[in-house]
Amino acid sequence: MKAILFLILFPCLALAQAPVLESKIHDKNRPLPPLVEARPYAELKTRAPAGAQIVFDGGRLDGFRKGRWTVKDGFFQADKVNGKGPGSLVTKQAFGDGQVHLEWAVEKSGAGNSGIYLHGLYEVQVFNSYRNATRIYADGQAGAIYGQYPPKVNACRPQGEWEVFDIHFTGPRFKEDGRLKTPARMTVEHNGHVIHDDVPLTGPSSHHKRPPYKVMPEKVPFMLQDHGNPVMYRNIWVLEKPSR
Ligand code: MG
């Protein structure tokens, strides 16, 4: 019996496809996630655990290349220079599966706009959605897997306060012929609330489209997006899982 089941299931597993979502991308009629209270900082595990790789701990921006963000008092910010943004930041190091911890904030007015792109492709949205004061489609809210999944709840703090993300990321796997073997998956916590629970991604993030996967290595740098807003980041570390 087991052998028969294996024979039936194996071709399905081997040909696993990217999920196709029924929801329309950026649907303005999609209900916004329910509001919840952010958990107090004291309850959040923000300190890098043993074995974690420190990307930014308040000092220099040595962990990144490309963008020219300004380091301030324990954080760094996307300040404009001569009216131009500083460019997106890309980590020097490539990362595989594991947990990325980061904290971000926007200024006291406005919602900001940025994002962390795991593998440089899969965006978790950085945008202040406190009490839905700034209207945006559900799959573009704070913590949304942009264009794919709205957060399950809206756990944002007010503008000017630090938001805490813990992203548990499993990259996609590809067969030798380039076809997708297994899609990327994410579990995300925002201020101590699980806002995505092991969801499979349709492919890279994009505006108004859901592009297909493209073959990538298992370890890739991540990116912090310069989207023309003075967003801030601090306390960034990665705890990689052993390779599988
Ligand atoms: Mg964004």
Side-chain angles (χ1 to χ4, degrees):
M1 184 62 192
K2 268 188 189 164
I4 293 167
L5 263 179
F6 179 80
L7 285 172
I8 294 169
L9 285 173
F10 182 74
C12 304
L13 292 173
L15 292 172
Q17 292 296 310
V20 176
L21 303 179
E22 285 177 18
S23 56
K24 266 196 341 209
I25 193 164
H26 309 325
D27 182 355
K28 291 200 168 95
N29 296 318
R30 197 166 179 181
L32 295 176
L35 305 179
V36 294
E37 286 292 317
R39 297 215 196 286
Y41 293 116
E43 289 180 17
L44 306 177
K45 291 188 181 120
T46 58
R47 191 176 294 182
Q53 299 171 78
I54 309 298
V55 178
F56 179 78
D57 65 358
R60 292 153 64 97
L61 270 178
D62 291 348
F64 293 98
R65 59 188 172 85
K66 293 201 170 173
R68 307 173 94 177
W69 298 38
T70 318
V71 178
K72 299 195 173 170
D73 186 15
F75 65 92
F76 56 95
Q77 184 165 9
D79 286 333
K80 284 191 175 162
V81 181
N82 300 328
K84 278 183 76 177
S88 297
L89 286 168
V90 179
T91 57
K92 283 183 184 160
Q93 194 169 338
F95 297 102
D97 299 349
Q99 177 183 2
V100 180
H101 174 95
L102 77 164
E103 299 171 27
W104 58 273
V106 303
E107 293 194 312
K108 284 194 177 144
S109 60
N113 199 344
S114 180
I116 172 170
Y117 285 67
L118 285 306
H119 282 193
L121 293 172
Y122 312 104
E123 182 184 10
V124 181
Q125 171 75 315
V126 163
F127 182 93
N128 190 281
S129 299
Y130 182 61
R131 293 188 180 164
N132 298 328
T134 306
R135 297 292 294 184
I136 191 169
Y137 35 86
D139 62 14
Q141 278 218 334
I145 297 174
Y146 190 76
Q148 299 184 28
Y149 297 98
K152 285 152 105 51
V153 291
N154 175 347
C156 256
R157 298 182 195 277
Q159 283 98 327
E161 295 188 16
W162 287 98
E163 311 279 345
V164 179
F165 274 178
D166 284 284
I167 301 167
H168 305 264
F169 178 72
T170 305
R173 296 294 189 271
F174 298 93
K175 296 159 75 133
E176 278 186 9
D177 65 5
R179 280 183 301 164
L180 183 69
K181 192 168 163 194
T182 52
R185 306 188 79 90
M186 278 200 222
T187 292
V188 181
E189 294 164 68
H190 180 191
N191 291 333
H193 292 272
V194 174
I195 57 168
H196 303 288
D197 189 3
D198 195 31
V199 292
L201 274 58
T202 63
S205 307
S206 191
H207 190 53
H208 281 291
K209 53 179 186 260
R210 293 177 179 143
Y213 280 97
K214 56 181 180 185
V215 179
M216 294 287 279
E218 288 188 18
K219 291 193 182 219
V220 187
F222 68 79
M223 183 184 91
L224 300 178
Q225 180 190 29
D226 168 18
H227 205 152
N229 289 271
V231 293
M232 295 158 260
Y233 288 94
R234 72 175 187 189
N235 192 20
I236 305 175
W237 48 262
V238 178
L239 186 62
E240 276 189 293
K241 271 191 206 163
S243 296
R244 64 179 157 107

